[in-house]
Structure formats: structure tokens, C-alpha cells
Amino acid sequence: MREELIVSGRMNPHIDPQLQIWEWHIPAYLFLGGLAAGILFFASYFYIKGKSEEYPTAVKLAPIFTPLLIGLGLLFLLLDLKHKLYFWRLYTAFKIESPMSWGAWTLMAIMPLSAIWAAFNIKSLFPKWDWKFDIVKDAIKVLEEYKTPIAWAIMILSVILGIYTGILLSAFNARPLWNTSILGPLFLVSGMSTGAAAIIILSKSKVERHTFAKIDLLLIAIELFLIIHMFMGFRASSQVQIDASAMFLGGQFTAPFWVLVVGMGLVIPAALEILEMRHKKIPYMVAPVLVLFGGLLFRFIMAYAGQMSRWLY
Amino acid sequence: MRYAMAVDTKKCVGCSDCVVACQTENNVPIGYCRDWIVEVTDGTYPQLELEHRSERCNHCENSPCVRCCPTGASHYSDGGTVMVTKNKCIGCGACIASCPYDARYTHPEGYVDKCTFCLHRVKKGQQPACVAVCPTKCMYFGDLDDPNSDVSRVIKKRKYKTLIPEAGTNPQLYFLI
């Protein structure tokens, strides 16, 4: 028997008895960032492919919400900071080894671009929209000449944003549950899946909903594959990662993760989407709402469980 | 120059004097601590083995906290010590999440705080507060690049271990066993 105790009574807030430095802000922000990244990716991709008329929700309508989603995410991020007045220090340094640093810079770049994209398409949501000032109209007209390069920039940055939400966590060697390079792709695919789900919810065209249901189905399949892969990797890794995965394979997160995230958030929506494609009568809203819910819960569970996983010495 | 500390687990009695000395010297806010004592009990009665360790920031050579810090607030300073610049720290918690030793905390004023190896004392030629106050003299501090420093000599003579070297941090806190 071996027992390790801190006998000098260390009780540092948010550190002891177990790390809880990040509460709801970070998972909520990761969800919003992934969602925005997914929507922006589809918007720019289908614009570049010349499918703006075929998929108007994806290219025009849905991205109007992305500056708000990113803005809300940034607000959560700011609320999470404990030394708030110094937040601008993020933008006086660029540290290539710190995912948080280049994430901050990516957000700085993609947020104005998403706002410009929204400005291009605002009339599709509010047909009577008027910019009031000529200078704004002129600026948008000038920018519209560069719509394709802007779309390319958004597409690349959205992939970086999506993958960063996972790499942010996977860079922490100290938390074995997060310390897997699969987390980056997993969060990217999950974010794109929530983006596709949001487009399905907003879309009024059956053709568009059908296409995005197919895309979502593919993304869900990749996600399931990555999740299984992640746990295979944990099981075959060092003791700390075996312990970390045990929280999901018999431990306290088993039921919420496998029933709510994997079952309700991935398998059931995938099944519904398949049935819908076979022309069974199913309300089209159910599957995408479940996907969004699953994506949100997935990030909460990963954020909380990751902080509980640790090295033992 | 490479500052390091060695703690003799055979001499340490776990009195927590180092903890209180640090709190006093560094004005650590009430309810927080930068160093702490771990007591390890191995075996079952009557075959028991006991180890006491006075632990703190390991001032790692490959510090995950310095790597993860988005602003450069966490940085390497004199003798390889890991320090935090208060007015660069945004309190994001990345360094706290990245530390496998849980050696950092958020100061009530918002910035992240931790052991400094009492660099302000060391620069004056004094020992860190925890080392200076230890009643069993179980701690050794000094420059590893100087073969005649207390810490170099004791590490040469004795068997030692570091904490979770497999985390790849290359810690500079040595425990004599």
C-alpha cells in the first residue's frame, strides 16, 4: 500500500484538491469557436466552388451569425481571464509554441473577415437593410472586388480556428486526457459537424438540407472513428493515459459521455439522417439540434475530465 | 549558471517550517502556499516506510508553463529560474493547466504566482527562505554549474530522484534518497 498526502495543508484555490482553473467559459468558447469555424468553412468553400445560389444558407445566411458567435466566445474568454485589464498583452507578443497565442491572433484575423463576409450578405437576412453612410457602402463595394481572396483567407483561417480549439487542450502534457494529438482533428471535425447542423437548422431549401445532412453524416462517421482511435491510443499508452481513459471506460464520465455525447449527439442523429435520406418522415430539426447539443456537451466533458486527469508521483 | 535545489528526504521531518518561511518572506496571500510537504507512506504496519518531501516549483529546464504562456509573462530568468512578470500576465490559466506539479496558483490580484527560488535573496548572497529556515538543514541550494556549490556536491555524493522526469520537463528540484 502506498499513500501520498500533502501534509502541510496546501489548499490553493482552483488547484486543490483537484485542478479547476477553467470553468464553463472555456468549453463554451471552444464550442462557439468550433461552430463559427464550421459555418465559415462551408460558406467560403461553397462560395469558391461557385455554389452560392445552390446553397444560399451556407454561403450567405449562416455566416451572418458568425461575428456574433466569435464575439460571444471572446467575451467568455475575457470573463475567464483573472487579470482582465492586461488582456491586450496577448497582442503585444506572438509565441509560436503557445497554441493560445496563435489562437488569439487567428481570432483577431478571422473576426473582422467574418464581419466583412456578413456585411456582404446582410441583405439576405434583412432585405431592407440600409448602411446609412456612403462610406460604408463604398468600403463594402471595394472589398467585394476581393471576395474570392477573402473567401480563401476565411477558409484557411477557419480550419486553423477549428483545429486550434483542440490543440489548445492537447498541448498540455500535464493533463494526460488532453495530451493526444487526435484532439485537434477531433475538435475540428466536431466543430464542422456543428456548423453543418446549424446550416441545416437555418436552411429553407430541401436540396441544401439534404446535402448538409450528407456532409454531417460523413463528419459524424469520422468523429466516431477518431473517438474510438483516441481511446485505443490511451489504452495502449502509459499508465497516466490508461488512468485518464478509465474515467470514460467504467469511471464517472462513462454514462454522460457514451450515452449523451456518443449516443444522443452522434449515433442517433446519424441514424435519423440516414432514415431521412430514405424518405422516412422525420422532423428535420431533431438531428441537427442533437448534434449541436452533443458538441457542446462533448467540450464540457473534455474540459472538466481533462482537468481531473493528472500525473501521479 | 543553473540554480537548483536538493532536498534530503532522509533528513526532512515534515515540520512545514519551509512553508511558513516562504509565506512570510514572500507575502504569500493567506490560504495560499508556494511550497508544501508531501508525506509518502509505503507498505502496511509494521513494515512501513516513510518519505517526506518539501516540494515547490521545479524550475524545469523544459518548462511547459513557459511554452504555453501566450504573452511571454512566464519566462526563464537568471540561472534558469522560471519567473512570472506580473504586468504581462493575463491570468488565462494556461501555465497552471500545463504544470504537472500543480506548483502555480492565481494570486487574488489576478496574476499567476509561484516559487521564485527567492531570487531576490539569492542575488544578495542569501539562501532562499525555505532553505535558510530549515531546522534539520535538509535543503541545499546553489549553482549546478559550480562544482563546489552545496547542491553540486551533495548531488555528486548521494543518490537522488526527480519528480515525474517522464513528463519531459527536466526538473531542477532533486530529492536525495
Side-chain angles (χ1 to χ4, degrees):
Chain A
M1 207 182 106
R2 185 182 174 89
E3 191 180 53
E4 292 210 24
L5 288 173
I6 295 178
V7 289
S8 61
R10 187 181 82 169
M11 216 14 106
N12 289 339
H14 305 292
I15 313 293
D16 301 303
Q18 133 205 317
L19 185 73
Q20 247 236 32
I21 192 71
W22 290 336
E23 290 159 21
W24 59 272
H25 315 82
I26 296 292
Y29 153 73
L30 295 179
F31 173 73
L32 291 170
L35 177 60
I39 294 174
L40 287 171
F41 176 82
F42 291 122
S44 49
Y45 176 76
F46 284 114
Y47 173 78
I48 292 167
K49 291 277 261 180
K51 303 249 169 121
S52 304
E53 301 311 314
E54 218 170 314
Y55 307 126
T57 317
V59 177
K60 293 176 181 166
L61 182 65
I64 294 174
F65 298 98
T66 55
L68 301 172
L69 294 172
I70 298 175
L72 193 63
L74 281 174
L75 177 71
F76 290 167
L77 210 53
L78 185 68
L79 287 176
D80 174 70
L81 297 183
K82 312 288 189 300
H83 218 203
K84 292 185 180 54
L85 292 177
Y86 292 83
F87 76 94
W88 53 273
R89 282 290 191 179
L90 276 172
Y91 298 107
T92 57
F94 175 67
K95 296 220 359 214
I96 191 82
E97 281 189 315
S98 164
M100 205 179 266
S101 177
W102 50 264
W105 283 104
T106 306
L107 284 168
M108 187 65 141
I110 204 170
M111 184 153 172
L113 287 177
S114 72
I116 290 169
W117 198 263
F120 289 160
N121 302 302
I122 191 83
K123 283 195 175 125
S124 66
L125 185 62
F126 304 106
K128 285 184 192 155
W129 186 273
D130 183 18
W131 286 105
K132 294 220 167 72
F133 301 104
D134 284 341
I135 186 159
V136 181
K137 281 181 204 161
D138 292 343
I140 292 173
K141 210 171 267 172
V142 172
L143 286 167
E144 254 172 356
E145 283 171 32
Y146 301 98
K147 214 168 168 178
T148 308
I150 289 175
W152 273 101
I154 289 179
M155 190 163 85
I156 294 164
L157 286 168
S158 68
V159 172
I160 297 177
L161 176 63
I163 205 161
Y164 140 80
T165 58
I167 290 180
L168 175 74
L169 300 181
S170 73
F172 295 130
N173 156 300
R175 313 295 152 199
L177 181 71
W178 292 342
N179 193 214
T180 162
S181 48
I182 284 196
L183 219 57
L186 180 55
F187 272 59
L188 173 66
V189 175
S190 165
M192 287 175 68
S193 167
T194 54
I199 291 167
I200 297 173
I201 290 173
L202 291 171
S203 178
K204 290 189 181 72
S205 132
K206 214 167 182 183
V207 180
E208 193 175 25
R209 284 207 301 262
H210 202 75
T211 308
F212 278 89
K214 265 192 206 160
I215 293 173
D216 199 28
L217 200 55
L218 175 69
L219 292 170
I220 288 175
I222 299 173
E223 237 180 298
L224 285 169
F225 168 77
L226 289 176
I227 286 173
I228 292 165
H229 233 63
M230 182 171 78
F231 283 106
M232 277 172 65
F234 283 149
R235 296 289 297 162
S237 182
S238 57
Q239 188 63 46
V240 285
Q241 289 200 317
I242 295 172
D243 291 347
S245 68
M247 292 193 288
F248 290 80
L249 304 166
Q252 55 187 311
F253 290 102
T254 312
F257 183 77
W258 295 101
V259 175
L260 298 177
V261 175
V262 176
M264 271 178 70
L266 297 171
V267 175
I268 293 178
L272 291 176
E273 275 162 2
I274 291 170
L275 288 176
E276 217 184 320
M277 272 170 216
R278 295 193 175 163
H279 306 290
K280 296 272 190 309
K281 280 223 178 300
I282 286 162
Y284 72 88
M285 282 285 227
V286 179
V289 167
L290 285 177
V291 166
L292 286 171
F293 164 78
L296 182 64
L297 195 66
F298 173 57
R299 282 157 181 80
F300 268 86
I301 289 181
M302 285 308 281
Y304 278 86
Q307 295 184 77
M308 294 175 76
S309 72
R310 58 167 302 165
W311 289 82
L312 284 175
Y313 58 94
Chain B
M1 201 161 52
R2 173 67 257 192
Y3 285 134
M5 196 182 279
V7 179
D8 193 339
T9 60
K10 300 283 185 214
K11 273 199 208 165
C12 178
V13 292
C15 69
S16 300
D17 249 15
C18 47
V19 179
V20 180
C22 170
Q23 286 164 330
T24 315
E25 172 69 27
N26 296 298
N27 270 324
V28 178
I30 290 173
Y32 292 76
C33 58
R34 292 182 182 183
D35 56 351
W36 59 93
I37 309 279
V38 175
E39 185 180 276
V40 189
T41 318
D42 245 325
T44 40
Y45 181 83
Q47 265 86 43
L48 284 173
E49 255 185 71
L50 189 67
E51 176 181 290
H52 279 117
R53 294 194 304 252
S54 168
E55 294 186 10
R56 61 192 53 56
C57 168
N58 283 263
H59 294 272
C60 309
E61 228 161 47
N62 181 22
S63 302
C65 52
V66 174
R67 195 166 59 235
C68 286
C69 176
T71 66
S74 283
H75 63 282
Y76 298 109
S77 184
D78 297 346
T81 52
V82 175
M83 306 290 260
V84 184
T85 312
K86 265 192 228 179
N87 59 11
K88 270 192 185 175
C89 176
I90 60 173
C92 67
C95 58
I96 292 177
S98 78
C99 178
Y101 309 102
D102 286 342
R104 295 170 161 248
Y105 57 84
T106 314
H107 191 280
E109 283 172 26
Y111 56 88
V112 168
D113 206 15
K114 62 180 269 300
C115 161
T116 61
F117 264 173
C118 278
L119 212 59
H120 61 288
R121 286 173 60 94
V122 173
K123 279 180 179 165
K124 286 190 271 181
Q126 295 170 318
Q127 297 276 335
C130 52
V131 178
V133 80
C134 178
T136 65
K137 305 226 178 316
C138 80
M139 280 184 264
Y140 306 86
F141 178 82
D143 178 7
L144 280 184
D145 288 345
D146 170 10
N148 290 318
S149 69
D150 291 350
V151 69
S152 298
R153 289 220 299 256
V154 78
I155 279 178
K156 207 171 169 191
K157 212 164 57 191
R158 296 273 302 271
K159 273 191 180 169
Y160 62 82
K161 65 174 179 187
T162 53
L163 298 178
I164 24 176
E166 63 273 27
T169 52
N170 203 356
Q172 297 302 312
L173 192 53
Y174 297 87
F175 292 94
L176 308 173
I177 47 175

